[in-house]
Amino acid sequence: MQVVGYRTAASEDGPALVVAEEGTVSRVSVAPGTTLDYGLGERTCAGAVDGDTHYACDADAAPYCVQHSSTWVCARCTGDCLKEEMDCYEDHAVYLAAFAPDVFKVGVTRLWRLETRLREQGADRAAHVKTVSNGRLAREIEADIATEIPDRVRVPTKLDGIHDTVDEAAWRDVLSDFDPIEEFGFDYGFRLDARPVTATLARGTVVGTQGRVLLIERENTVYGVDMRDLVGYELDSEAAPAARQSSLGAYL
């Protein structure tokens, strides 16, 4: 059984690892309280998924080989359309997102997906700062704001503050140059006393998820797993658990 994708808590059916076995796609829930008991076997390209069908690939490159890698051109757009014909003619939102304690980013999404997109990213706080009539205008505004506020935050940075709260003064300072249309605050249903230990594993009790970060507790230690880092691995319920780092709390 190979991990071929993942779903965040923002998805309709809740957070899950998307797995494939003999060409058929299914889900392994990672809802809070779920017990996972898988070792990680060989990691190869995750291939391609079409609905409930999986097309396997044995290339060594993971999570995807060159043949199965794709880049969404809109993610690279800064206002000059990279498609043969512009097709983003619907309202878009420009937003600012906050990740505890004091990391901020600018982003854009289709207006109707705004809250979902923020949850997919695991934002702690957010503000909708502008609505425009199409994606090209939104990307132009994003590119301008990105000269001052980054347009991406990587998972290790999110893990650094996942146990913390947003610095209110710093957030207000960022918003001072804008006139927010709406503000958001998100609760992902867990509380941590310390930064989780970074690991790649699928064994333990699920504490919760925040964006694509999966939190797993084992032997009094909470581990933070980037679900994308699991894509491509074979899950083996018989495999011995991998060596892992423990927090000080594991010995208390």
Side-chain angles (χ1 to χ4, degrees):
M1 182 167 66
Q2 184 186 28
V3 181
V4 296
Y6 59 88
R7 298 290 182 269
T8 71
S11 67
E12 183 176 339
D13 296 324
L17 298 176
V18 180
V19 298
E21 190 167 19
E22 297 182 352
T24 300
V25 176
S26 59
R27 294 162 45 93
V28 174
S29 173
V30 290
T34 300
T35 297
L36 301 176
D37 192 17
Y38 299 102
L40 301 183
E42 183 181 7
R43 192 185 193 199
T44 58
C45 173
V49 173
D50 182 6
D52 293 330
T53 302
H54 174 246
Y55 300 93
C57 176
D58 59 3
D60 291 335
Y64 300 101
C65 68
V66 173
Q67 181 178 350
H68 291 107
S69 297
S70 62
T71 300
W72 182 42
V73 295
C74 296
R76 296 186 285 114
C77 176
T78 58
D80 295 320
C81 188
L82 302 176
K83 298 179 178 180
E84 291 185 3
E85 184 176 352
M86 179 179 161
D87 60 5
C88 52
Y89 293 103
E90 60 181 308
D91 286 350
H92 279 62
V94 181
Y95 64 83
L96 300 176
F99 303 86
D102 56 3
V103 177
F104 311 107
K105 75 175 289 288
V106 61
V108 304
T109 187
R110 287 170 289 177
L111 181 60
W112 62 269
R113 287 200 83 246
L114 176 57
E115 187 167 347
T116 298
R117 181 58 181 149
L118 293 168
R119 288 185 177 276
E120 287 173 346
Q121 294 185 351
D124 292 301
R125 303 275 290 276
H128 174 194
V129 296
K130 197 170 187 63
T131 301
V132 294
S133 60
N134 61 64
R136 184 179 66 184
L137 290 173
R139 291 294 184 182
E140 288 178 354
I141 295 168
E142 179 191 38
D144 183 55
I145 297 173
T147 61
E148 302 290 337
I149 301 172
D151 59 3
R152 67 177 56 194
V153 177
R154 300 197 178 277
V155 167
T157 302
K158 295 176 183 179
L159 275 169
D160 285 342
I162 201 168
H163 62 291
D164 211 339
T165 57
V166 173
D167 183 324
E168 184 68 23
W171 178 230
R172 289 295 139 199
D173 184 56
V174 168
L175 293 183
S176 64
D177 291 331
F178 301 89
D179 183 16
I181 298 167
E182 184 178 8
E183 293 190 42
F184 303 86
F186 299 104
D187 185 345
Y188 295 93
F190 61 83
R191 294 288 183 272
L192 301 177
D193 295 328
R195 184 196 189 281
V197 177
T198 301
T200 303
L201 52 81
R203 205 172 235 136
T205 301
V206 176
V207 174
T209 57
Q210 184 166 338
R212 75 187 207 202
V213 173
L214 168 64
L215 298 168
I216 298 176
E217 183 174 12
R218 293 190 63 191
E219 300 171 1
N220 298 317
T221 296
V222 176
Y223 297 89
V225 183
D226 182 347
M227 287 193 282
R228 191 175 189 278
D229 288 344
L230 293 173
V231 175
Y233 274 108
E234 293 288 336
L235 296 183
D236 186 352
S237 59
E238 302 297 326
R244 62 194 184 279
Q245 179 184 353
S246 296
S247 70
L248 180 60
Y251 302 98
L252 298 180

